[in-house]
Amino acid sequence: MTEPAGALPALAVKLCAPRGFCAGVDRAIQIVELALARFGRPVYVRHEIVHNRFVVDGLKAKGAVFVEELDEIPVEDRERPVIFSAHGVPKSVPEDARGRNMFYLDATCPLVSKVHKEAEIHFRRDREILLIGHAGHPEVIGTMGQLPAGTVSLIETEDDARNYQPRTGLQLAFITQTTLSVDDTKGIVEVLKERFPDIVAPHKEDICYATTNRQDAVKVVAPQVDAMIVVGAPNSSNSQRLREVAERAGCATAVLVQRACELNWDDFAGITSLGLTAGASAPETLVEEIIAAFAERFTVSVEEVRTAEETIAFNLPRELRPMADAPSASAAE
């Protein structure tokens, strides 16, 4: 049956679930908003609270001021609250804040803090520590910064794992960045375990539940659609991994965009099905914006494809708990 003249082509949108905000991101944003409500403007935030420009700009409008280093905070504002981002910071940062008599709130995701504690345990047990992650990512900088310089060695690829030469005669242990590709990390771990059978693995998987869940949903949807869109920032590790997962799962066109205005419509010419997900730092309103943009060019039908339920929530810092609308759920795993 041919479409009537002027009719928009049909497009079946498969919406991945879970998608978007995870518990750690939701907690970090709440910390900034509650700090503003309690202490007023300005509240300073070291580094982007999460990797999403839309979120950051929204918090700026409410009175948050983002800096990369503590010495950027004006002397006259040193008594204002400063918040550390969800990615975590080296130990030197809170030490610096205390030295400047600053009041700080730590928005580090509890699952990142778990990796920090693992690193400290390995160090106390006199182990040589390998961190699987991406150089330069704030989470990696924060994790390596929990211990003395040179204590942790970074492994980025399977080749790194094959070529790594232990620096000491100590037992080896590994930890991982929480936002990596599950499949990529699996390959690196297999190489390490083959070379070093006695290497100590995390007691529980370091890659966070939200990263795993979002990747699993993409693996289901990507082979069923003509194109896949990941809503997220280019500096968001978990968003970049979602795009890579979609490509590996067999989707011919997989793109990462921050907003609908970034869409290259040539990429979607002639498609009849579209997969859509969002990284853990991307709010749902941006997903809705993408759907609305396609609805101007297609007759859109939306089906949600859910592969997991998420009920995890994390406690807020003690200083802000009275400000919350209701008691937050206990940190769960």
Side-chain angles (χ1 to χ4, degrees), residues 46 225 291:
R46 185 188 178 276
V225 295
I291 294 173

Side-chain angles (χ1 to χ4, degrees), residues 232-296:
N235 62 338
S236 166
S237 175
N238 77 86
S239 298
Q240 289 284 10
R241 304 296 81 76
L242 288 173
R243 182 188 58 78
E244 293 170 358
V245 167
E247 288 180 341
R248 291 174 185 173
C251 188
T253 301
V255 299
L256 173 68
V257 298
Q258 298 185 83
R259 302 291 300 270
C261 60
E262 296 180 3
L263 292 168
N264 179 355
W265 292 104
D266 290 341
D267 290 336
F268 309 104
I271 68 170
T272 60
S273 58
L274 175 72
L276 183 56
T277 190
S281 302
E284 184 66 10
T285 186
L286 299 184
V287 174
E288 294 169 354
E289 180 183 279
I290 297 290
I291 294 173
F294 274 90
E296 293 178 359

Side-chain angles (χ1 to χ4, degrees), residues 122 127-132 153 155 160-161 164 166 170-176 188-203:
H122 291 318
R127 292 167 177 158
E128 184 173 337
I129 304 166
L130 308 182
L131 170 60
I132 301 172
S153 298
I155 303 294
D160 287 348
Y164 183 75
L170 303 176
Q171 184 179 30
L172 291 175
F174 74 87
I175 53 181
T176 72
I188 294 171
V189 169
E190 287 175 350
V191 172
L192 289 174
K193 287 184 174 180
E194 182 179 349
R195 291 191 63 209
F196 311 110
D198 295 330
I199 194 168
V200 178
H203 176 67

